[in-house]
Amino acid sequence: MPTPTPSRIDLAAHLARVRQRAPLVHNITNLVAMNSMANVLLAIGASPAMVHAREEAAEFAAIADALTLNIGTLSPHWVEAMDEAAEAARLTGKPWVLDPVAVGATAYRRTTAARLLERLPTVVRGNASEIIALEAGGPGGRGVDSSDPAEAAEQAATRLARRVGCVVAVTGEVDLVTDGRRLARVRGGHPLMPRVTTLGCALTGVVAAFLVGAEDPFEATVAALACYGAAGQGAGQGARGPGSFAVAFLDALHTLEGDALDALPPLEFHDAT
Amino acid sequence: MPTPTPSRIDLAAHLARVRQRAPLVHNITNLVAMNSMANVLLAIGASPAMVHAREEAAEFAAIADALTLNIGTLSPHWVEAMDEAAEAARLTGKPWVLDPVAVGATAYRRTTAARLLERLPTVVRGNASEIIALEAGGPGGRGVDSSDPAEAAEQAATRLARRVGCVVAVTGEVDLVTDGRRLARVRGGHPLMPRVTTLGCALTGVVAAFLVGAEDPFEATVAALACYGAAGQGAGQGARGPGSFAVAFLDALHTLEGDALDALPPLEFHDAT
Amino acid sequence: MPTPTPSRIDLAAHLARVRQRAPLVHNITNLVAMNSMANVLLAIGASPAMVHAREEAAEFAAIADALTLNIGTLSPHWVEAMDEAAEAARLTGKPWVLDPVAVGATAYRRTTAARLLERLPTVVRGNASEIIALEAGGPGGRGVDSSDPAEAAEQAATRLARRVGCVVAVTGEVDLVTDGRRLARVRGGHPLMPRVTTLGCALTGVVAAFLVGAEDPFEATVAALACYGAAGQGAGQGARGPGSFAVAFLDALHTLEGDALDALPPLEFHDAT
C-alpha cells in the first residue's frame, strides 16, 4: 500500500534530524554557487564538501552521505566526474539530487542533463523553465532565471517524476513538489531571494541534507523547501536590499526554530492528477 | 558628423533602461569574481550567467544580450572559449567588454589579451597599470592592484581607444572614460572599494549591462561608472570596514535612485587631446 | 645557538609589518575559498592574487612575495601548476604554506600532499584530522571538518615539523604551532568561525602574509593565528549567526589594533617534547 498523501509534516523533526546527523553532502556544483552553497549548508547544520576531479569524485561520493550535481558551469572533465559520482551514489545507496541549471539554454546542457537523468536521481530541483525544458528534452529558456510561473510546470513535473521514478521540486514564488502521485505546494520566502545569486543552487544542497536518514523523499523535500522558505521569510523582515538579505538569511537558517516555522503559510497537499 | 562631447548625461534614464530590460549578461570571468559579480549584476537589475565551456560558450554568447571576458584566472580551455564567445558576440552584434586583469604580470596574460583585442571589444575596462600595460603590449605591474594613478593612464587610454576603435575606461580614485575623441572624468565611490575583492571585475559586468540598448557606448560607460560610484559613495556612509561595506554596496545598487545620483560630484567632459 | 622559546610576541609589530609591506600573496587555493580568502587578505592589509594555470603559475610565484597551495578542489592541471609554483617559490627564496584540506579523504589527496611536502613548505596549516593524516600518510577523516581535538594532533605535528623541517600549525578550538623544537598554544576566535566556510583556508593566506619579511617563521605563524583569533573574538560579540559573523570578521580584521589584541587569552609557549 502506498504512503498516503500527508495532511501535515513535522518540519521541526526533519530539521532536528539534519542538525543531529550533520550529514556530509558532496557537491559537484557550479563555480558561482560553491561558496554560498557551503555557507548555506553549514548554517543549516550540514557538512559540505566540493569534490569534482575524476581522480576522486566517485571515491568521495561513496564516503559522503548524499550527493548533488549541478550543471551550471560545465566542462568535459566535470561531466565525467558527475557521471561517476552519480553511479557511486547509486551503488552505495546514497540519495542524490540533480539541479538542471539553465538546461534549455544550450545543447551541451540538454545532453548532459539527459545523461544524468539515466543515473536515477532521488530528487530533481529546478525552476519552472528548467523542469519544463528537462522534461521536454528540447530547447527553451534563455538563462538561469525562470520565465514561467511554477504552476505552469506542474504537468511537466508530474510526468518527469513518473518517468524517472523520482521526486521533482519546482521552486519559485510558490514551490511545487511531486513524486508523480502526491503533490505539495510550499509558500514562504521573500521577493529578495531571486536577487541573491545561487540561493536556488544552495537549496539543492539543503534538499540533499534533508534526504539523509529520511523515510520518505517526498516529505523530506517538502520539509527542506519549507524550512528554506521560513528562513527567507524571517530574513526579509529587516533587509534593506539583497546584501543585507543574504546576511540575514544565513543567520536565520542557523537560528531557525519553531516560531519561524509556525509563521509559514500552511502547506497544501493534493493527489497528483 | 560625430556625436558632440556631452555636457551632461541623464544617469537616471540609463539606470532605468537597465532595470527595464534586465539584460542577460554572459560572463567568462575569473573564479574569484564569479559570485560577487553575479550578485552585483542582480542588484543593479541585470540577469547574469557564467558559461565558460568551449562546448557551449559561443552558443550562449549568441543568446545573451552582452558579453564580458576577464583574464583574471586563465586556463587554455577558457582562452579558446573566450575567443569563440567574442567572435559570436561580434557576429551577432552584441556589445562585449574586455577586463585585462593583471595583464602586465605574465606572458600568458599579455598574449591572451592581445589576441582578444583583435576581436574588437566594445569597451576595455581596467585600472591604470593594466591599461598602460595592455596598450604597450609589454610587461609591467605586479598584480591586480594598480600602482599608477588614473591620470597617468590617460595617454595610453586614448591611444588604445583610437587603435582598437573602442571605449576605454580606466577606473581608480577618479575614473577616466574615452573613445579616443571624447573624454570624461567620473568621481565618486569610497576608499573601502579597493579593499573588497573583485568590485572592479563586477563593474565590468555592469558596464556590459549598460551597453545593451544604448545608443552611445561612451555615454553608457560613463553612466555605468557614475551609478557604481554613487552606490559606493552611499554605501560608505555607514560602513565599519570592508565586510559591512560590501553588504551595504549591494543594498545601495538595488535601491539606487535620484538622490544618490545627485550626490555625486559633477561629471567632467572634455575633448580628448 | 637556536632561537630560544619566546615568552611573548609583539603581535602589533607583526601586524604593522603586514600592513606596511602589503605583501603580494599568490594562492592556488580551492574554488570554494577564492573569494573569501581574497577578502580576508585585503582586510588584513595584504594583496591577494589567484593564479593557477601551468602557463603562468611558476612565473607568477617568482614575482609574488609568498605562495599558498591548498588541495581542497584538485584537478590534474592544478596539481602540476602547484608543483611548479612551489619549486619557483623555493628557488627564489619565497615562503610558502601548504594547506592539506581533507587529505585523509581520498588517495588523490594523499598522493598530491605527499608530493608537495617534498617541495619543503615553510609552514603546513591544517586541522587536527588533516595533520594526523598527512603525517601518517594514510587514510583518515571523512571531510573538511575536524573530528580530532587539536591536542591529539600534537605528536603528529611535532613529528611532521621535524621530518620536513617546517612549522606546523594545527588550528581548532585551541591552535597549536610547532617547529619541532618550540611549541605555542593560541586561544581566541569564536564558536561561529567553523560555521563560516573557508575561514581556515583564508587563514592559510594570512599566515603567508605574516611570513613575508619575518625573521622567525614560528613567531610569524603564531602572530598570524593570534591576530586571526583576536579578530574572530571581536567579531563574535555582536554576531547573530554565521552571516553577520562573516561580515563583522572582515571589519574586525581591517580595524584590528591593540585593544583587540590585548583582549586575547595569553599565548602559551613550551619546549616541544
PDB file of all heavy atoms in Angstrom, chain A residues 55-84:
ATOM      1  N   GLU A  55      39.584  11.953 -10.562  1.00  0.00           N
ATOM      2  CA  GLU A  55      40.505  11.141  -9.782  1.00  0.00           C
ATOM      3  C   GLU A  55      39.965  10.802  -8.394  1.00  0.00           C
ATOM      4  O   GLU A  55      40.517   9.933  -7.718  1.00  0.00           O
ATOM      5  CB  GLU A  55      41.849  11.873  -9.634  1.00  0.00           C
ATOM      6  CG  GLU A  55      42.702  11.893 -10.882  1.00  0.00           C
ATOM      7  CD  GLU A  55      42.205  12.840 -11.982  1.00  0.00           C
ATOM      8  OE1 GLU A  55      41.257  13.615 -11.719  1.00  0.00           O
ATOM      9  OE2 GLU A  55      42.752  12.800 -13.090  1.00  0.00           O
ATOM     10  N   GLU A  56      38.933  11.494  -7.938  1.00  0.00           N
ATOM     11  CA  GLU A  56      38.476  11.248  -6.565  1.00  0.00           C
ATOM     12  C   GLU A  56      36.970  11.386  -6.366  1.00  0.00           C
ATOM     13  O   GLU A  56      36.470  11.094  -5.271  1.00  0.00           O
ATOM     14  CB  GLU A  56      39.200  12.183  -5.588  1.00  0.00           C
ATOM     15  CG  GLU A  56      38.997  13.663  -5.864  1.00  0.00           C
ATOM     16  CD  GLU A  56      39.655  14.576  -4.821  1.00  0.00           C
ATOM     17  OE1 GLU A  56      40.217  14.078  -3.842  1.00  0.00           O
ATOM     18  OE2 GLU A  56      39.586  15.807  -4.999  1.00  0.00           O
ATOM     19  N   ALA A  57      36.225  11.802  -7.398  1.00  0.00           N
ATOM     20  CA  ALA A  57      34.795  12.091  -7.202  1.00  0.00           C
ATOM     21  C   ALA A  57      34.007  10.847  -6.788  1.00  0.00           C
ATOM     22  O   ALA A  57      33.194  10.907  -5.858  1.00  0.00           O
ATOM     23  CB  ALA A  57      34.202  12.713  -8.464  1.00  0.00           C
ATOM     24  N   ALA A  58      34.238   9.727  -7.448  1.00  0.00           N
ATOM     25  CA  ALA A  58      33.480   8.517  -7.107  1.00  0.00           C
ATOM     26  C   ALA A  58      33.883   8.007  -5.730  1.00  0.00           C
ATOM     27  O   ALA A  58      33.028   7.600  -4.930  1.00  0.00           O
ATOM     28  CB  ALA A  58      33.705   7.446  -8.168  1.00  0.00           C
ATOM     29  N   GLU A  59      35.174   8.048  -5.439  1.00  0.00           N
ATOM     30  CA  GLU A  59      35.651   7.612  -4.124  1.00  0.00           C
ATOM     31  C   GLU A  59      35.017   8.457  -3.021  1.00  0.00           C
ATOM     32  O   GLU A  59      34.593   7.937  -1.989  1.00  0.00           O
ATOM     33  CB  GLU A  59      37.186   7.744  -4.091  1.00  0.00           C
ATOM     34  CG  GLU A  59      37.837   7.244  -2.813  1.00  0.00           C
ATOM     35  CD  GLU A  59      39.365   7.429  -2.845  1.00  0.00           C
ATOM     36  OE1 GLU A  59      39.902   7.820  -3.915  1.00  0.00           O
ATOM     37  OE2 GLU A  59      40.008   7.196  -1.807  1.00  0.00           O
ATOM     38  N   PHE A  60      34.921   9.763  -3.277  1.00  0.00           N
ATOM     39  CA  PHE A  60      34.346  10.632  -2.255  1.00  0.00           C
ATOM     40  C   PHE A  60      32.835  10.433  -2.135  1.00  0.00           C
ATOM     41  O   PHE A  60      32.277  10.456  -1.033  1.00  0.00           O
ATOM     42  CB  PHE A  60      34.670  12.096  -2.544  1.00  0.00           C
ATOM     43  CG  PHE A  60      34.518  12.967  -1.342  1.00  0.00           C
ATOM     44  CD1 PHE A  60      35.565  13.107  -0.446  1.00  0.00           C
ATOM     45  CD2 PHE A  60      33.317  13.604  -1.069  1.00  0.00           C
ATOM     46  CE1 PHE A  60      35.419  13.875   0.699  1.00  0.00           C
ATOM     47  CE2 PHE A  60      33.158  14.373   0.073  1.00  0.00           C
ATOM     48  CZ  PHE A  60      34.216  14.511   0.952  1.00  0.00           C
ATOM     49  N   ALA A  61      32.172  10.249  -3.272  1.00  0.00           N
ATOM     50  CA  ALA A  61      30.712  10.051  -3.232  1.00  0.00           C
ATOM     51  C   ALA A  61      30.345   8.829  -2.400  1.00  0.00           C
ATOM     52  O   ALA A  61      29.296   8.799  -1.744  1.00  0.00           O
ATOM     53  CB  ALA A  61      30.156   9.920  -4.652  1.00  0.00           C
ATOM     54  N   ALA A  62      31.212   7.823  -2.401  1.00  0.00           N
ATOM     55  CA  ALA A  62      30.940   6.608  -1.624  1.00  0.00           C
ATOM     56  C   ALA A  62      31.117   6.844  -0.126  1.00  0.00           C
ATOM     57  O   ALA A  62      30.527   6.138   0.697  1.00  0.00           O
ATOM     58  CB  ALA A  62      31.847   5.475  -2.090  1.00  0.00           C
ATOM     59  N   ILE A  63      31.917   7.843   0.235  1.00  0.00           N
ATOM     60  CA  ILE A  63      32.121   8.190   1.652  1.00  0.00           C
ATOM     61  C   ILE A  63      31.000   9.089   2.166  1.00  0.00           C
ATOM     62  O   ILE A  63      30.586   9.005   3.314  1.00  0.00           O
ATOM     63  CB  ILE A  63      33.455   8.963   1.840  1.00  0.00           C
ATOM     64  CG1 ILE A  63      34.658   8.164   1.359  1.00  0.00           C
ATOM     65  CG2 ILE A  63      33.635   9.360   3.299  1.00  0.00           C
ATOM     66  CD1 ILE A  63      35.937   9.009   1.328  1.00  0.00           C
ATOM     67  N   ALA A  64      30.541   9.993   1.306  1.00  0.00           N
ATOM     68  CA  ALA A  64      29.595  11.024   1.733  1.00  0.00           C
ATOM     69  C   ALA A  64      28.222  10.425   2.022  1.00  0.00           C
ATOM     70  O   ALA A  64      27.942   9.272   1.690  1.00  0.00           O
ATOM     71  CB  ALA A  64      29.484  12.100   0.660  1.00  0.00           C
ATOM     72  N   ASP A  65      27.353  11.252   2.639  1.00  0.00           N
ATOM     73  CA  ASP A  65      26.002  10.805   2.964  1.00  0.00           C
ATOM     74  C   ASP A  65      25.001  11.107   1.857  1.00  0.00           C
ATOM     75  O   ASP A  65      23.928  10.500   1.807  1.00  0.00           O
ATOM     76  CB  ASP A  65      25.542  11.494   4.251  1.00  0.00           C
ATOM     77  CG  ASP A  65      26.401  11.104   5.440  1.00  0.00           C
ATOM     78  OD1 ASP A  65      26.630   9.893   5.626  1.00  0.00           O
ATOM     79  OD2 ASP A  65      26.873  11.998   6.159  1.00  0.00           O
ATOM     80  N   ALA A  66      25.323  12.076   0.998  1.00  0.00           N
ATOM     81  CA  ALA A  66      24.426  12.447  -0.090  1.00  0.00           C
ATOM     82  C   ALA A  66      25.242  13.199  -1.128  1.00  0.00           C
ATOM     83  O   ALA A  66      26.362  13.658  -0.851  1.00  0.00           O
ATOM     84  CB  ALA A  66      23.284  13.324   0.418  1.00  0.00           C
ATOM     85  N   LEU A  67      24.680  13.312  -2.323  1.00  0.00           N
ATOM     86  CA  LEU A  67      25.392  13.924  -3.450  1.00  0.00           C
ATOM     87  C   LEU A  67      24.461  14.900  -4.159  1.00  0.00           C
ATOM     88  O   LEU A  67      23.262  14.662  -4.255  1.00  0.00           O
ATOM     89  CB  LEU A  67      25.813  12.821  -4.434  1.00  0.00           C
ATOM     90  CG  LEU A  67      26.385  13.241  -5.797  1.00  0.00           C
ATOM     91  CD1 LEU A  67      27.776  13.860  -5.633  1.00  0.00           C
ATOM     92  CD2 LEU A  67      26.438  12.041  -6.746  1.00  0.00           C
ATOM     93  N   THR A  68      25.031  16.017  -4.656  1.00  0.00           N
ATOM     94  CA  THR A  68      24.264  16.889  -5.548  1.00  0.00           C
ATOM     95  C   THR A  68      25.097  17.162  -6.795  1.00  0.00           C
ATOM     96  O   THR A  68      26.319  17.307  -6.719  1.00  0.00           O
ATOM     97  CB  THR A  68      23.905  18.246  -4.905  1.00  0.00           C
ATOM     98  OG1 THR A  68      25.063  19.090  -4.891  1.00  0.00           O
ATOM     99  CG2 THR A  68      23.369  18.088  -3.491  1.00  0.00           C
ATOM    100  N   LEU A  69      24.421  17.217  -7.933  1.00  0.00           N
ATOM    101  CA  LEU A  69      25.072  17.531  -9.203  1.00  0.00           C
ATOM    102  C   LEU A  69      24.344  18.711  -9.834  1.00  0.00           C
ATOM    103  O   LEU A  69      23.122  18.693  -9.970  1.00  0.00           O
ATOM    104  CB  LEU A  69      25.026  16.317 -10.148  1.00  0.00           C
ATOM    105  CG  LEU A  69      25.680  15.040  -9.613  1.00  0.00           C
ATOM    106  CD1 LEU A  69      25.535  13.908 -10.629  1.00  0.00           C
ATOM    107  CD2 LEU A  69      27.149  15.262  -9.274  1.00  0.00           C
ATOM    108  N   ASN A  70      25.112  19.728 -10.229  1.00  0.00           N
ATOM    109  CA  ASN A  70      24.557  20.982 -10.734  1.00  0.00           C
ATOM    110  C   ASN A  70      25.282  21.303 -12.030  1.00  0.00           C
ATOM    111  O   ASN A  70      26.522  21.364 -12.060  1.00  0.00           O
ATOM    112  CB  ASN A  70      24.791  22.063  -9.659  1.00  0.00           C
ATOM    113  CG  ASN A  70      24.382  23.448 -10.089  1.00  0.00           C
ATOM    114  OD1 ASN A  70      24.775  23.920 -11.148  1.00  0.00           O
ATOM    115  ND2 ASN A  70      23.609  24.116  -9.259  1.00  0.00           N
ATOM    116  N   ILE A  71      24.533  21.519 -13.105  1.00  0.00           N
ATOM    117  CA  ILE A  71      25.157  21.677 -14.427  1.00  0.00           C
ATOM    118  C   ILE A  71      25.409  23.137 -14.790  1.00  0.00           C
ATOM    119  O   ILE A  71      25.608  23.471 -15.963  1.00  0.00           O
ATOM    120  CB  ILE A  71      24.302  21.009 -15.526  1.00  0.00           C
ATOM    121  CG1 ILE A  71      22.957  21.724 -15.681  1.00  0.00           C
ATOM    122  CG2 ILE A  71      24.076  19.524 -15.215  1.00  0.00           C
ATOM    123  CD1 ILE A  71      22.200  21.311 -16.939  1.00  0.00           C
ATOM    124  N   GLY A  72      25.458  24.014 -13.794  1.00  0.00           N
ATOM    125  CA  GLY A  72      25.549  25.452 -14.069  1.00  0.00           C
ATOM    126  C   GLY A  72      26.808  25.901 -14.798  1.00  0.00           C
ATOM    127  O   GLY A  72      26.746  26.784 -15.648  1.00  0.00           O
ATOM    128  N   THR A  73      27.943  25.350 -14.443  1.00  0.00           N
ATOM    129  CA  THR A  73      29.185  25.693 -15.173  1.00  0.00           C
ATOM    130  C   THR A  73      29.919  24.400 -15.517  1.00  0.00           C
ATOM    131  O   THR A  73      30.839  23.986 -14.819  1.00  0.00           O
ATOM    132  CB  THR A  73      30.118  26.621 -14.347  1.00  0.00           C
ATOM    133  OG1 THR A  73      30.404  26.022 -13.089  1.00  0.00           O
ATOM    134  CG2 THR A  73      29.506  27.992 -14.137  1.00  0.00           C
ATOM    135  N   LEU A  74      29.517  23.826 -16.599  1.00  0.00           N
ATOM    136  CA  LEU A  74      30.045  22.521 -17.021  1.00  0.00           C
ATOM    137  C   LEU A  74      31.418  22.636 -17.664  1.00  0.00           C
ATOM    138  O   LEU A  74      31.813  23.686 -18.158  1.00  0.00           O
ATOM    139  CB  LEU A  74      29.097  21.887 -18.034  1.00  0.00           C
ATOM    140  CG  LEU A  74      27.753  21.422 -17.491  1.00  0.00           C
ATOM    141  CD1 LEU A  74      26.865  20.983 -18.634  1.00  0.00           C
ATOM    142  CD2 LEU A  74      27.943  20.294 -16.487  1.00  0.00           C
ATOM    143  N   SER A  75      32.119  21.514 -17.659  1.00  0.00           N
ATOM    144  CA  SER A  75      33.257  21.309 -18.549  1.00  0.00           C
ATOM    145  C   SER A  75      33.385  19.791 -18.686  1.00  0.00           C
ATOM    146  O   SER A  75      32.857  19.047 -17.857  1.00  0.00           O
ATOM    147  CB  SER A  75      34.537  21.951 -18.009  1.00  0.00           C
ATOM    148  OG  SER A  75      34.876  21.377 -16.782  1.00  0.00           O
ATOM    149  N   PRO A  76      34.032  19.328 -19.763  1.00  0.00           N
ATOM    150  CA  PRO A  76      34.003  17.882 -20.032  1.00  0.00           C
ATOM    151  C   PRO A  76      34.489  17.015 -18.875  1.00  0.00           C
ATOM    152  O   PRO A  76      33.882  15.975 -18.575  1.00  0.00           O
ATOM    153  CB  PRO A  76      34.905  17.757 -21.265  1.00  0.00           C
ATOM    154  CG  PRO A  76      34.757  19.072 -21.958  1.00  0.00           C
ATOM    155  CD  PRO A  76      34.647  20.079 -20.860  1.00  0.00           C
ATOM    156  N   HIS A  77      35.575  17.424 -18.194  1.00  0.00           N
ATOM    157  CA  HIS A  77      36.049  16.597 -17.091  1.00  0.00           C
ATOM    158  C   HIS A  77      35.034  16.516 -15.961  1.00  0.00           C
ATOM    159  O   HIS A  77      34.908  15.509 -15.294  1.00  0.00           O
ATOM    160  CB  HIS A  77      37.381  17.138 -16.548  1.00  0.00           C
ATOM    161  CG  HIS A  77      38.527  16.837 -17.443  1.00  0.00           C
ATOM    162  ND1 HIS A  77      38.915  17.659 -18.462  1.00  0.00           N
ATOM    163  CD2 HIS A  77      39.355  15.758 -17.506  1.00  0.00           C
ATOM    164  CE1 HIS A  77      39.944  17.121 -19.095  1.00  0.00           C
ATOM    165  NE2 HIS A  77      40.238  15.983 -18.546  1.00  0.00           N
ATOM    166  N   TRP A  78      34.331  17.614 -15.740  1.00  0.00           N
ATOM    167  CA  TRP A  78      33.331  17.617 -14.681  1.00  0.00           C
ATOM    168  C   TRP A  78      32.166  16.707 -15.030  1.00  0.00           C
ATOM    169  O   TRP A  78      31.602  16.045 -14.155  1.00  0.00           O
ATOM    170  CB  TRP A  78      32.829  19.043 -14.427  1.00  0.00           C
ATOM    171  CG  TRP A  78      33.801  19.913 -13.720  1.00  0.00           C
ATOM    172  CD1 TRP A  78      35.162  19.909 -13.854  1.00  0.00           C
ATOM    173  CD2 TRP A  78      33.504  20.899 -12.737  1.00  0.00           C
ATOM    174  NE1 TRP A  78      35.715  20.850 -13.035  1.00  0.00           N
ATOM    175  CE2 TRP A  78      34.729  21.474 -12.342  1.00  0.00           C
ATOM    176  CE3 TRP A  78      32.326  21.370 -12.160  1.00  0.00           C
ATOM    177  CZ2 TRP A  78      34.799  22.493 -11.383  1.00  0.00           C
ATOM    178  CZ3 TRP A  78      32.392  22.381 -11.213  1.00  0.00           C
ATOM    179  CH2 TRP A  78      33.619  22.932 -10.827  1.00  0.00           C
ATOM    180  N   VAL A  79      31.783  16.708 -16.291  1.00  0.00           N
ATOM    181  CA  VAL A  79      30.652  15.861 -16.695  1.00  0.00           C
ATOM    182  C   VAL A  79      30.984  14.400 -16.431  1.00  0.00           C
ATOM    183  O   VAL A  79      30.152  13.635 -15.918  1.00  0.00           O
ATOM    184  CB  VAL A  79      30.299  16.103 -18.171  1.00  0.00           C
ATOM    185  CG1 VAL A  79      29.257  15.099 -18.655  1.00  0.00           C
ATOM    186  CG2 VAL A  79      29.798  17.533 -18.361  1.00  0.00           C
ATOM    187  N   GLU A  80      32.202  14.000 -16.740  1.00  0.00           N
ATOM    188  CA  GLU A  80      32.602  12.612 -16.471  1.00  0.00           C
ATOM    189  C   GLU A  80      32.609  12.327 -14.976  1.00  0.00           C
ATOM    190  O   GLU A  80      32.161  11.261 -14.526  1.00  0.00           O
ATOM    191  CB  GLU A  80      33.987  12.351 -17.078  1.00  0.00           C
ATOM    192  CG  GLU A  80      33.968  12.341 -18.598  1.00  0.00           C
ATOM    193  CD  GLU A  80      35.371  12.358 -19.194  1.00  0.00           C
ATOM    194  OE1 GLU A  80      36.325  11.972 -18.497  1.00  0.00           O
ATOM    195  OE2 GLU A  80      35.501  12.789 -20.359  1.00  0.00           O
ATOM    196  N   ALA A  81      33.119  13.267 -14.202  1.00  0.00           N
ATOM    197  CA  ALA A  81      33.144  13.076 -12.750  1.00  0.00           C
ATOM    198  C   ALA A  81      31.723  13.004 -12.189  1.00  0.00           C
ATOM    199  O   ALA A  81      31.441  12.211 -11.278  1.00  0.00           O
ATOM    200  CB  ALA A  81      33.922  14.207 -12.079  1.00  0.00           C
ATOM    201  N   MET A  82      30.824  13.823 -12.726  1.00  0.00           N
ATOM    202  CA  MET A  82      29.423  13.778 -12.279  1.00  0.00           C
ATOM    203  C   MET A  82      28.828  12.396 -12.531  1.00  0.00           C
ATOM    204  O   MET A  82      28.147  11.830 -11.670  1.00  0.00           O
ATOM    205  CB  MET A  82      28.597  14.820 -13.036  1.00  0.00           C
ATOM    206  CG  MET A  82      28.837  16.245 -12.605  1.00  0.00           C
ATOM    207  SD  MET A  82      27.787  17.376 -13.595  1.00  0.00           S
ATOM    208  CE  MET A  82      28.268  18.946 -12.861  1.00  0.00           C
ATOM    209  N   ASP A  83      29.097  11.868 -13.708  1.00  0.00           N
ATOM    210  CA  ASP A  83      28.546  10.576 -14.074  1.00  0.00           C
ATOM    211  C   ASP A  83      29.053   9.496 -13.122  1.00  0.00           C
ATOM    212  O   ASP A  83      28.281   8.673 -12.621  1.00  0.00           O
ATOM    213  CB  ASP A  83      28.963  10.283 -15.516  1.00  0.00           C
ATOM    214  CG  ASP A  83      28.108   9.207 -16.141  1.00  0.00           C
ATOM    215  OD1 ASP A  83      26.867   9.296 -16.019  1.00  0.00           O
ATOM    216  OD2 ASP A  83      28.681   8.282 -16.735  1.00  0.00           O
ATOM    217  N   GLU A  84      30.329   9.534 -12.855  1.00  0.00           N
ATOM    218  CA  GLU A  84      30.906   8.510 -11.969  1.00  0.00           C
ATOM    219  C   GLU A  84      30.447   8.690 -10.521  1.00  0.00           C
ATOM    220  O   GLU A  84      30.216   7.699  -9.810  1.00  0.00           O
ATOM    221  CB  GLU A  84      32.442   8.557 -12.055  1.00  0.00           C
ATOM    222  CG  GLU A  84      32.935   8.144 -13.435  1.00  0.00           C
ATOM    223  CD  GLU A  84      34.439   8.251 -13.600  1.00  0.00           C
ATOM    224  OE1 GLU A  84      35.148   8.430 -12.582  1.00  0.00           O
ATOM    225  OE2 GLU A  84      34.911   8.157 -14.750  1.00  0.00           O
TER     226      GLU A  84
END
